[in-house]
């Protein structure tokens, strides 16, 4: 539970109060009354809370020492930039980011999200029965949110069950945009780590420089298979074992299907794996709806250019009865979250504070006067 404590230095800033949860100190706005911790990660701790001004339940994520690791700082900045612009029923809403008491030297960031009950990873590994309707509704909502992101020119790049939050009424929302990037048509991308390995598309495993929205579709296919089988379909232990698992299920790929591989060594590796007939998804998931199997067949395609698009997937017979294009218009504009990966801490801090001030217009005037 949340335990109220005195401020660490004896000085209590106006509008703040202090609690500890899971041995973590929270310095939060007094309008938020914490309830209990609900999650923990490398970034810090998440707690549930009540906004006493609106009586709304929210989740507060404390990101500890955000500038201690520049990758964490850039991920946080990118998520702030993106969620300020994204408003969609199937994407988590960032409702507030608390103003730090020390504008120039703050270390921690407190992000306030709408509160969800659980995530798809917890549901899949639970003993709760999952019907075909459950599966259909989860995949429909995931694709619906993804279509909006892709229309905004955004690749999520880290879709997995743990990044899909779910409510008791089975409403699903995509979260964790720290690895999201702007999609580029001709796009040279950095080849840094993207997507948890089990959900990583072949073109990423093979270090292809160019990739697009189809990497997210591959991840959706892996998630669909995991719902059907209640376990990951490709639980590789490293990059090579991941590729071998994929080939063992999809079968050996003819050379014509490998043209997208721009690395000669990577192409030779795939061709060296020997002949594999693969396995039919219908034999892996004998109790699944045949239409779900057909959709899976169209998502988990080795060649990204042959993979079904998000719009085509929403129109697929498995979920088309749920989809009304008029209720899911595209994003009003394309979003750019490309930032200079090499910029120093002062610039990252300044950009992050500008994002935080978006939620506190009353402080923006004072801050601008302080700067100028």
């Amino acid at each position: 539970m949340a335990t109220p404590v005195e401020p660490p230095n004896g000085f209590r800033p106006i509008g703040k109060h202090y609690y500890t949860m899971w041995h973590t100190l929270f310095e939060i706005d007094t309008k938020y009354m914490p309830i209990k911790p609900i999650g923990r990660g490398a970034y810090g701790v998440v707690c549930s809370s009540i906004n006493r001004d609106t009586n709304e339940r929210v989740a507060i994520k404390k990101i500890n020492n955000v500038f201690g690791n520049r990758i964490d700082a850039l991920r946080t900045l990118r998520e702030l930039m993106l969620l300020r612009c994204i408003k969609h029923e199937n994407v988590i809403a960032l409702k507030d980011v608390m103003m730090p008491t020390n504008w120039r030297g703050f270390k921690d960031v407190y992000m306030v999200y709408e509160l969800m009950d659980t995530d798809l990873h917890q549901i899949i590994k639970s003993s709760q029965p999952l019907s075909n309707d459950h599966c259909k509704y989860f995949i429909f909502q995931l694709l619906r949110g993804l279509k909006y992101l892709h229309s905004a020119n955004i690749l999520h790049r880290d879709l997995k069950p743990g990044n899909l939050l779910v409510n008791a009424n089975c409403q699903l929302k995509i979260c964790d945009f720290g690895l999201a990037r702007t999609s580029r048509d001709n796009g040279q991308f950095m080849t840094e780590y993207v997507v948890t390995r089990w959900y990583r598309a072949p073109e990423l495993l093979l270090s292809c420089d160019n990739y697009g929205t189809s990497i997210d579709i591959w991840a959706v296919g892996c998630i669909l298979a995991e719902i059907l089988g209640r376990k990951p379909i490709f639980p590789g232990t490293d990059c090579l074992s991941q590729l071998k698992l994929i080939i063992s299920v999809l079968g050996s790929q003819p050379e014509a299907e490998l043209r997208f591989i721009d690395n000669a060594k990577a192409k030779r590796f795939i061709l060296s794996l020997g002949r594999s007939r693969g396995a039919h998804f219908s034999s892996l998931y004998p109790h699944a709806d045949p239409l779900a199997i057909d959709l899976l067949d169209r998502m988990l395609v080795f060649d990204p250019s042959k993979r079904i698009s998000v719009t085509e997937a929403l129109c697929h017979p498995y979920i088309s009865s749920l989809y009304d294009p008029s209720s899911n218009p595209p994003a009003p504009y394309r979003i750019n979250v490309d930032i200079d990966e090499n910029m120093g801490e002062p610039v990252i801090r300044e950009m992050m504070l500008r994002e935080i001030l978006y939620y506190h217009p009353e402080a923006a005037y004072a801050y601008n006067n302080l700067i100028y």
Side-chain angles (χ1 to χ4, degrees), residues 169-231:
N169 63 0
C170 292
Q171 187 179 24
L172 177 146
K173 294 176 188 277
I174 301 168
C175 73
D176 197 342
F177 289 86
L179 287 179
R181 292 292 189 279
T182 303
S183 174
R184 302 176 191 164
D185 295 333
N186 57 348
Q188 286 295 310
F189 282 93
M190 295 181 304
T191 53
E192 89 286 19
Y193 171 85
V194 288
V195 187
T196 306
R197 185 188 305 112
W198 295 353
Y199 309 91
R200 211 182 295 183
E203 58 268 33
L204 296 176
L205 292 164
L206 293 162
S207 301
C208 296
D209 287 333
N210 295 299
Y211 57 84
T213 53
S214 54
I215 66 165
D216 285 339
I217 290 295
W218 177 273
V220 176
C222 294
I223 293 164
L224 171 55
E226 194 163 334
I227 297 171
L228 294 174
R230 304 300 285 258
K231 63 180 181 180

Side-chain angles (χ1 to χ4, degrees), residues 130-268:
L130 288 177
S131 68
N132 185 46
D133 283 343
H134 281 116
C135 179
K136 188 182 298 190
Y137 192 45
F138 288 145
I139 295 300
F140 160 66
Q141 292 178 90
L142 171 52
L143 287 167
R144 193 171 177 269
L146 193 57
K147 182 176 188 294
Y148 187 88
L149 292 172
H150 287 177
S151 75
N153 206 34
I154 295 297
L155 306 182
H156 186 282
R157 305 201 318 165
D158 196 21
L159 291 174
K160 57 186 177 183
N163 284 344
L164 304 175
L165 303 180
V166 180
N167 264 345
N169 63 0
C170 292
Q171 187 179 24
L172 177 146
K173 294 176 188 277
I174 301 168
C175 73
D176 197 342
F177 289 86
L179 287 179
R181 292 292 189 279
T182 303
S183 174
R184 302 176 191 164
D185 295 333
N186 57 348
Q188 286 295 310
F189 282 93
M190 295 181 304
T191 53
E192 89 286 19
Y193 171 85
V194 288
V195 187
T196 306
R197 185 188 305 112
W198 295 353
Y199 309 91
R200 211 182 295 183
E203 58 268 33
L204 296 176
L205 292 164
L206 293 162
S207 301
C208 296
D209 287 333
N210 295 299
Y211 57 84
T213 53
S214 54
I215 66 165
D216 285 339
I217 290 295
W218 177 273
V220 176
C222 294
I223 293 164
L224 171 55
E226 194 163 334
I227 297 171
L228 294 174
R230 304 300 285 258
K231 63 180 181 180
I233 183 172
F234 303 126
T237 54
D238 56 42
C239 188
L240 296 185
S241 78
Q242 189 70 26
L243 283 164
K244 289 176 181 176
L245 276 175
I246 291 169
I247 294 296
S248 72
V249 173
L250 299 191
S252 300
Q253 301 297 302
E255 199 158 355
E257 302 293 309
L258 305 179
R259 290 180 187 144
F260 71 92
I261 305 175
D262 44 29
N263 181 310
K265 186 178 177 183
K267 186 179 288 188
R268 283 197 301 273

Side-chain angles (χ1 to χ4, degrees), residues 22-323:
W22 283 347
H23 307 293
T24 300
L25 179 69
F26 275 66
E27 176 194 82
I28 57 177
D29 296 351
T30 51
K31 72 176 180 180
Y32 295 111
M33 180 56 65
I35 301 170
K36 63 180 180 181
I38 56 174
R40 190 203 310 258
Y43 51 81
V45 172
V46 181
C47 74
S48 59
S49 186
I50 294 279
N51 181 337
R52 293 192 285 196
D53 290 353
T54 62
N55 211 31
E56 180 183 23
R57 292 165 65 86
V58 296
I60 300 175
K61 178 164 78 171
K62 177 185 180 180
I63 301 172
N64 284 318
N65 191 20
V66 69
F67 300 107
N69 180 307
R70 62 175 290 103
I71 300 300
D72 289 345
L74 289 168
R75 283 189 66 155
T76 302
L77 174 59
R78 195 171 275 112
E79 177 144 8
L80 287 169
M81 292 170 65
L82 196 142
L83 288 181
R84 171 168 56 82
C85 303
I86 291 285
K87 305 289 181 242
H88 190 272
E89 292 172 359
N90 300 119
V91 176
I92 197 70
L94 180 60
K95 295 185 165 291
D96 187 13
V97 188
M98 294 184 210
M99 277 298 297
T101 52
N102 180 354
W103 292 2
R104 293 193 183 279
F106 69 93
K107 294 182 177 179
D108 306 322
V109 174
Y110 294 87
M111 301 170 74
V112 183
Y113 301 87
E114 56 187 320
L115 182 66
M116 303 291 283
D117 292 316
T118 186
D119 62 56
L120 193 56
H121 171 71
Q122 298 298 327
I123 291 172
I124 289 171
K125 76 174 192 179
S126 76
S127 58
Q128 174 187 340
L130 288 177
S131 68
N132 185 46
D133 283 343
H134 281 116
C135 179
K136 188 182 298 190
Y137 192 45
F138 288 145
I139 295 300
F140 160 66
Q141 292 178 90
L142 171 52
L143 287 167
R144 193 171 177 269
L146 193 57
K147 182 176 188 294
Y148 187 88
L149 292 172
H150 287 177
S151 75
N153 206 34
I154 295 297
L155 306 182
H156 186 282
R157 305 201 318 165
D158 196 21
L159 291 174
K160 57 186 177 183
N163 284 344
L164 304 175
L165 303 180
V166 180
N167 264 345
N169 63 0
C170 292
Q171 187 179 24
L172 177 146
K173 294 176 188 277
I174 301 168
C175 73
D176 197 342
F177 289 86
L179 287 179
R181 292 292 189 279
T182 303
S183 174
R184 302 176 191 164
D185 295 333
N186 57 348
Q188 286 295 310
F189 282 93
M190 295 181 304
T191 53
E192 89 286 19
Y193 171 85
V194 288
V195 187
T196 306
R197 185 188 305 112
W198 295 353
Y199 309 91
R200 211 182 295 183
E203 58 268 33
L204 296 176
L205 292 164
L206 293 162
S207 301
C208 296
D209 287 333
N210 295 299
Y211 57 84
T213 53
S214 54
I215 66 165
D216 285 339
I217 290 295
W218 177 273
V220 176
C222 294
I223 293 164
L224 171 55
E226 194 163 334
I227 297 171
L228 294 174
R230 304 300 285 258
K231 63 180 181 180
I233 183 172
F234 303 126
T237 54
D238 56 42
C239 188
L240 296 185
S241 78
Q242 189 70 26
L243 283 164
K244 289 176 181 176
L245 276 175
I246 291 169
I247 294 296
S248 72
V249 173
L250 299 191
S252 300
Q253 301 297 302
E255 199 158 355
E257 302 293 309
L258 305 179
R259 290 180 187 144
F260 71 92
I261 305 175
D262 44 29
N263 181 310
K265 186 178 177 183
K267 186 179 288 188
R268 283 197 301 273
F269 171 75
I270 292 297
L271 291 170
S272 75
L273 290 177
R275 301 299 301 167
S276 169
R277 296 179 62 184
H280 291 292
F281 290 126
S282 55
S283 64
L284 295 178
Y285 309 110
H287 303 296
D289 184 330
L291 290 174
I293 296 297
D294 186 74
L295 180 57
L296 192 56
D297 256 323
R298 295 166 189 266
M299 288 178 166
L300 294 182
V301 177
F302 200 83
D303 181 349
S305 69
K306 306 282 179 65
R307 233 167 270 156
I308 195 170
S309 72
V310 67
T311 303
E312 290 166 342
L314 282 164
C315 296
H316 186 276
Y318 182 56
I319 54 177
S320 58
S321 62
L322 298 174
Y323 180 51

Side-chain angles (χ1 to χ4, degrees), residues 311-352:
T311 303
E312 290 166 342
L314 282 164
C315 296
H316 186 276
Y318 182 56
I319 54 177
S320 58
S321 62
L322 298 174
Y323 180 51
D324 175 9
S326 66
S327 70
N328 193 40
Y333 54 87
R334 291 158 77 86
I335 298 169
N336 185 351
V337 291
D338 289 339
I339 53 180
D340 179 3
E341 304 280 333
N342 298 311
M343 61 188 174
E345 180 185 319
V347 179
I348 300 173
R349 182 185 295 275
E350 168 74 13
M351 290 180 70
M352 204 176 285

